[in-house]
Amino acid sequence: MPPLASAAFAAATPGVEQDHLDVDDGMPLSLPRKLGTEAAADSGTGAFQRLPMVAPSKELLDSALRRAARVPYNQKLKNEAQKAKNRAARALDTLMKELCVPLGAYIKGFPQPERLHPFERALLELTVGPGTYERVLARVEALRRSTVEVGKAYATRASRAANKKEAVALQEEGFASLQAVFRRGSYAVDELKDVAKSLRRLPVVEPNIPTVALVGAPNVGKSSLVQLLSSGLPEVQNYPFTTRSIKMGHFYVVGRRHQVTDTPGLLNRAEEDRNAMERLTLACLQHLPTAVLFVVDLTGECGTTVANQWHIREELRARFPGKPWVDAFSKTDLLEEEFDEADAQRAGGQIARQQQQCTGAGGTGVGTSAARAEDGCPPARSEAGEQPAVDAVQFAVRVRGALRVSSTSGSGVDDLKAAMLRMLEQHDLQRQQPGVAGLADDGAASATAPHNLP
């Protein structure tokens, strides 16, 4: 980007200290010290809804020019030269201030990122991109400083003009220079307006309200369950970085209000390959006091294989070991045969053999997948060190405490509600330490057996 105040303007204003803030798109930027001095008063959430309204750059310039043109002559001055010099200096000062005061208010009204709630900081990056917020504000500050520099220099020169003609000429030249400087950097104001518009669209976060987050692969039935678990009609929350709406409902546990929300689906892939929607889900788990309701579609109709859903579950269990956790199988009215087979395997005594093999008590420690089917115990590896793919029956056997739910028929919904209530009565979500991750015990997080919750 070219400097906001060119060398030509600096040369035209001798004696003015060079204090430009040139902004390079390729360089890291530090925010102006004044940033957020007004918005910092409240470090809670909702900061984006309190952002100042940013006027379009053209509107700001047109308004400043009109006000500067209306500056009257000082009728107390009788000397025509003095009168012209006084008016020229005041008109230039007015134009400068009409441009710079709003810019300064914008800088002060946008909060410093470190003063935001951690979840809002994550939303900030997801919404406008890493570093974009800081770069745009730095450009606005650069524009403000350049405008002040040029405006003060011309106002000083006009006040010291030798005669009326020179004063009028300096006023015209100063007006042209100020307009050129402002127009050169005006795109920063319009960028800031777009940033503010996007951030204002973000839903207000309520981090003090315990939240049950429905997590899983895309299209596994999370949104339908939110509607069934909410005490009223869920709110629809929209995020500017995705066209997917998020449903947020509420319910009460021992008279205390809780939130239940679905989250964008996760795919089984590396962190660097995840999109903004997936990072929103992870930010919710990392920065908000949440319990996890992990929803699995064993039918394969959701577009994510059962094996990949298993790997997603393993990743989240390891990444967020302190989260209260409930597993739920959705669309269970389509899985009668798979559940019958899973129940038969357990009833046949495979659990006892699997427990022995997992602990090394007897046998070789290597058995069939069915024999290793206790909650969270990984399947036996092949000689090449690879784990076999998990199918619907194996998933159901391994996660023995999972609730079986159908949003179509309503079966299992009451059991799921009861499991959530027991979980929330036993765990104080507000005591969670956001952002802490580590290794998890891979035992089943069972809703029907709450003591197995991590």
Side-chain angles (χ1 to χ4, degrees):
M1 169 188 167
L4 293 177
S6 68
F9 295 133
T13 54
V16 177
E17 180 183 356
Q18 296 297 310
D19 190 27
H20 299 300
L21 177 60
D22 296 341
V23 182
D24 185 348
D25 289 338
M27 298 294 292
L29 298 173
S30 58
L31 292 178
R33 288 189 295 273
K34 293 181 179 180
L35 176 61
T37 53
E38 293 180 357
D42 183 3
S43 60
T45 59
F48 298 142
Q49 285 66 39
R50 297 190 297 271
L51 293 176
M53 299 299 296
V54 180
S57 60
K58 185 178 184 305
E59 179 180 314
L60 194 61
L61 179 59
D62 290 345
S63 174
L65 288 170
R66 286 195 299 270
R67 289 177 180 271
R70 291 200 297 264
V71 173
Y73 286 100
N74 186 344
Q75 298 301 330
K76 294 181 180 180
L77 298 174
K78 303 303 181 183
N79 184 284
E80 291 298 320
Q82 289 294 333
K83 189 182 294 185
K85 290 191 293 183
N86 177 271
R87 182 183 184 277
R90 286 167 45 232
L92 286 162
D93 186 68
T94 297
L95 179 57
M96 177 199 68
K97 288 180 178 178
E98 289 294 327
L99 293 173
C100 294
V101 169
L103 298 183
Y106 301 157
I107 293 294
K108 292 181 181 179
F110 279 72
Q112 299 180 37
E114 60 268 22
R115 291 182 177 270
L116 295 171
H117 185 275
F119 184 62
E120 286 189 321
R121 284 202 301 272
L123 290 181
L124 173 63
E125 182 172 318
L126 291 173
T127 302
V128 300
T132 301
Y133 181 80
E134 293 88 341
R135 280 194 294 271
V136 171
L137 285 166
R139 288 167 182 160
V140 173
E141 172 65 1
L143 175 60
R144 187 194 68 81
R145 290 173 60 183
S146 298
T147 305
V148 167
E149 179 181 335
V150 173
K152 283 186 175 181
Y154 272 105
T156 299
R157 292 178 63 193
S159 67
R160 297 172 182 174
N163 51 53
K164 178 179 178 181
K165 182 178 180 181
E166 183 180 349
V168 172
L170 284 170
Q171 177 183 331
E172 294 176 353
E173 183 181 338
F175 269 43
S177 296
L178 279 170
Q179 291 180 69
V181 168
F182 189 82
R183 288 192 175 111
R184 185 187 296 270
S186 62
Y187 75 95
V189 180
D190 296 324
E191 284 182 338
L192 186 63
K193 179 179 175 62
D194 292 338
V195 166
K197 182 179 179 180
S198 295
L199 294 177
R200 263 191 227 99
R201 290 170 53 197
L202 289 169
V204 178
V205 182
E206 296 184 273
N208 296 324
I209 299 181
T211 301
V212 176
L214 278 72
V215 184
N219 306 315
V220 295
K222 299 185 294 291
S223 298
S224 299
L225 289 178
V226 167
Q227 194 142 348
L228 292 172
L229 295 171
S230 302
S231 57
L233 187 65
E235 303 169 9
V236 176
Q237 298 185 323
N238 295 297
Y239 291 83
F241 48 83
T242 172
T243 56
R244 186 192 184 286
S245 297
I246 307 299
K247 288 186 178 179
M248 173 75 77
H250 297 88
F251 60 96
Y252 290 84
V253 179
V254 194
R256 188 177 183 184
R257 186 168 176 251
H258 288 65
Q259 297 177 137
V260 57
T261 181
D262 67 340
T263 58
L266 294 172
L267 298 178
N268 180 31
R269 54 184 175 183
E271 183 73 18
E272 58 271 17
D273 295 330
R274 286 194 161 129
N275 59 30
M277 293 185 291
E278 293 173 279
R279 294 199 296 273
L280 171 62
T281 297
L282 297 174
C284 175
L285 296 180
Q286 183 173 359
H287 299 303
L288 297 180
T290 48
V292 176
L293 175 54
F294 190 79
V295 184
V296 180
D297 177 8
L298 298 179
T299 68
E301 294 180 351
C302 66
T304 303
T305 66
V306 173
N308 279 336
Q309 291 181 71
W310 173 266
H311 289 305
I312 294 168
R313 179 182 182 273
E314 282 190 320
E315 177 193 350
L316 295 181
R317 294 279 290 168
R319 189 166 181 169
F320 303 106
K323 296 287 185 185
W325 189 289
V326 171
D327 288 292
F329 296 143
S330 63
K331 309 176 186 178
T332 54
D333 46 344
L334 305 177
L335 294 163
E336 293 182 4
E337 293 182 3
E338 287 82 355
F339 288 147
D340 288 344
E341 184 176 346
D343 294 341
Q345 287 188 15
R346 271 202 219 97
Q350 282 86 351
I351 289 181
R353 290 197 300 274
Q354 181 269 341
Q355 287 176 330
Q356 291 177 347
Q357 292 162 353
C358 282
T359 58
T364 63
V366 178
T368 65
S369 296
R372 295 178 59 83
E374 181 62 9
D375 292 343
C377 184
R381 293 182 180 272
S382 67
E383 293 181 0
E386 298 178 352
Q387 289 185 357
V390 179
D391 61 18
V393 174
Q394 292 168 336
F395 206 130
V397 173
R398 289 173 192 161
V399 188
R400 59 182 172 84
L403 275 287
R404 302 174 181 181
V405 184
S406 170
S407 58
T408 302
S409 65
S411 65
V413 173
D414 290 338
D415 291 338
L416 182 58
K417 289 181 178 179
M420 285 175 49
L421 292 177
R422 286 197 301 273
M423 174 180 66
L424 295 171
E425 287 171 354
Q426 294 178 10
H427 295 81
D428 185 358
L429 299 184
Q430 291 182 316
R431 295 180 63 183
Q432 291 182 15
Q433 296 296 323
V436 177
L439 295 178
D441 176 7
D442 207 18
S446 169
T448 55
H451 296 293
N452 287 343
L453 288 170

